[in-house]
Amino acid sequence: MRRLKILHRTYYNFLGAVQLEPHRLLLRPREGPSLHIELSTLDIVPAAQIRWLRDAYDNSVAIATFNSSTTHLGIVSECVVQQFDERPLDFLVEDCAVNYPFNYDAESVEVLRPYLGGPSLGEQAALGAWVRRYWHPGESVQTYALLARLCAGINQSLTYQIREEPGVQSAVETLARGAGSCRDFANLFMESARFLGLAARFVSGYLHAPFEDGRSGSTHAWSEVYLPGAGWKGFDPTSGEIVGSRHIAVAVARMPEAVSPVSGSFFGPVGAALSVGVWVSDQ
């Protein structure tokens, strides 16, 4: 078991006094068999009324409501988690899904339908050509081995870059540019899995990647694929590896736009300076 401390600071400085509309915060890690939350605090300036809820994806969402105008917004989330996912390859896939291609059973299809949508007609040709570099129709291959191929393929054939601008590139745009951020790579992997008829979803969270001082970390994005018998299994195409103890999931969704850590609006002078800092350290 590993204990990790996650400190996520978000600051906005506005050009003048503004009135903040309710803000939606996705900052609390997803608990489950491999992760327990030991401590969690959320401090917001100016003072806000906080209401917690579970959304349709079972993410923990904080809705912050403000009553006063301000020139500054500060959001500080601090968590201490116990991480148990130290053997990510310790899972079993049902016999019917060990080899690809396979079909989900009828009941699963009804639940997984939102995660099974393929690319638009305009993107099918380009995405299909890329996927066929790693799998040819008619080839029988172990399902996990195929997903590992796709994951490693993105890592090895594309260039990682830090993108400060908001939004996520489409899968075809990432292929055309030959480069992208972690969220772009996660989206490409997700769309590739869906192209193959597999249920996939987008995941946002944190990555524990310490330097010598042991205090480094970052926000991160990856994808999960539903494998019968194993459940949702994570793949990180940025590093080319299966998701394990270095990854702390915060939110999952059908599309990347739904898992922004902080979202909201304000009334007042246009323009704001944003500063974000994330630290993930051993405890």
Side-chain angles (χ1 to χ4, degrees), residues 5-85:
K5 178 181 178 180
I6 305 164
L7 182 61
H8 188 149
R9 295 172 175 166
T10 305
Y11 297 101
Y12 290 90
N13 290 305
F14 303 99
L15 297 180
V18 302
Q19 181 62 50
L20 299 168
E21 291 290 282
H23 277 54
R24 182 174 182 267
L25 312 178
L26 285 168
L27 299 170
R28 182 183 173 91
R30 289 173 62 88
E31 291 190 273
S34 62
L35 187 142
H36 299 161
I37 296 177
E38 184 178 310
L39 171 70
S40 177
T41 62
L42 180 60
D43 296 318
I44 301 177
V45 177
Q49 180 180 358
I50 301 174
R51 176 172 56 90
W52 288 94
L53 59 88
R54 292 276 187 176
D55 65 11
Y57 301 103
D58 202 33
N59 299 316
S60 290
V61 183
I63 305 298
T65 304
F66 305 88
N67 295 319
S68 60
S69 60
T70 185
T71 59
H72 168 84
L73 172 61
I75 302 170
V76 178
S77 171
E78 182 174 337
C79 293
V80 175
V81 302
Q82 299 172 0
Q83 171 63 274
F84 297 89
D85 194 9

Side-chain angles (χ1 to χ4, degrees), residues 87-99:
R87 296 193 298 171
L89 292 175
D90 186 17
F91 64 87
L92 293 175
V93 178
E94 287 184 6
D95 291 344
C96 64
V98 168
N99 294 317

